[in-house]
Amino acid sequence: MPQIAQISEIFASQLFWLALTFGLIYLVIGRGMLPKIEATVEQRDRRIAEDLAAAECARAEADAREEAYRVQLEANRAEALKVTQAAKEAAARATEQRVKAADAETARKVETAEAEIRSATQRALGDIETVAAEAAQDMVAKLAGATVPRERAAEAVRAALANG
């Protein structure tokens, strides 16, 4: 084979071109492209780290705001509870005063009504005594034929009602 016989003649030139090609590839990739790729990777890592730090800061701020919101919410609840309790107490006092006023008015009306009933009862008893005395006079006059004075008939009726 003639190619094997020529190896010693072309070996040096092939090694030269091989070294030159690899050197050129090393210079283009290693010195030209690789620093740009490394810079892009470093920039991306730095941006990711900054974004993570910003996200952590935003999360901490959100946590602080949430805690402040919760504290404010609890304060508002406590204030609402105080206002509600005060309103309940005021309503209870107002209701109690109205009930007392209504009780006093009712007691006054009952007392007035009782006085009127007592007065009406006294008038009725007086009318009953008068009617009974007149009836007694009429009965004595019809049964015994005697006339009884009005005062005496009234005394007899009072005595009969008192024994009664």
Side-chain angles (χ1 to χ4, degrees):
M1 290 198 144
Q3 294 93 356
I4 295 179
Q6 295 175 353
I7 262 185
S8 62
E9 295 174 12
I10 59 165
F11 183 67
S13 73
Q14 283 183 350
L15 273 178
F16 169 75
W17 287 114
L18 179 69
L20 184 65
T21 304
F22 278 127
L24 188 60
I25 289 174
Y26 172 75
L27 286 176
V28 169
I29 292 177
R31 296 290 182 186
M33 291 172 58
L34 191 61
K36 290 180 183 177
I37 292 171
E38 286 176 347
T40 303
V41 168
E42 286 177 11
Q43 183 181 10
R44 189 192 74 189
D45 289 344
R46 188 173 50 253
R47 179 147 187 178
I48 288 171
E50 289 172 358
D51 288 347
L52 287 174
E56 181 64 30
C57 182
R59 186 181 65 78
E61 184 179 338
D63 288 345
R65 283 186 181 180
E66 181 183 8
E67 184 62 30
Y69 170 75
R70 286 184 182 166
V71 167
Q72 184 63 37
L73 184 64
E74 287 300 318
N76 290 344
R77 279 187 186 150
E79 182 65 26
L81 185 60
K82 286 179 187 176
V83 168
T84 303
Q85 189 65 28
K88 283 181 182 179
E89 289 173 1
R93 282 192 302 272
T95 302
E96 185 177 335
Q97 289 175 352
R98 279 185 263 147
V99 167
K100 283 181 182 178
D103 284 347
E105 180 66 21
T106 303
R108 187 187 60 76
K109 286 181 180 180
V110 165
E111 193 174 295
T112 304
E114 286 176 348
E116 289 176 5
I117 290 171
R118 281 192 300 273
S119 174
T121 303
Q122 291 299 325
R123 283 193 309 269
L125 285 175
D127 290 343
I128 289 173
E129 287 178 7
T130 303
V131 170
E134 289 174 2
Q137 282 178 328
D138 287 341
M139 285 193 287
V140 168
K142 287 183 183 179
L143 292 175
T147 304
V148 177
R150 181 172 208 168
E151 292 78 28
R152 183 148 180 177
E155 287 177 19
V157 167
R158 277 190 217 111
L161 287 174
N163 290 333

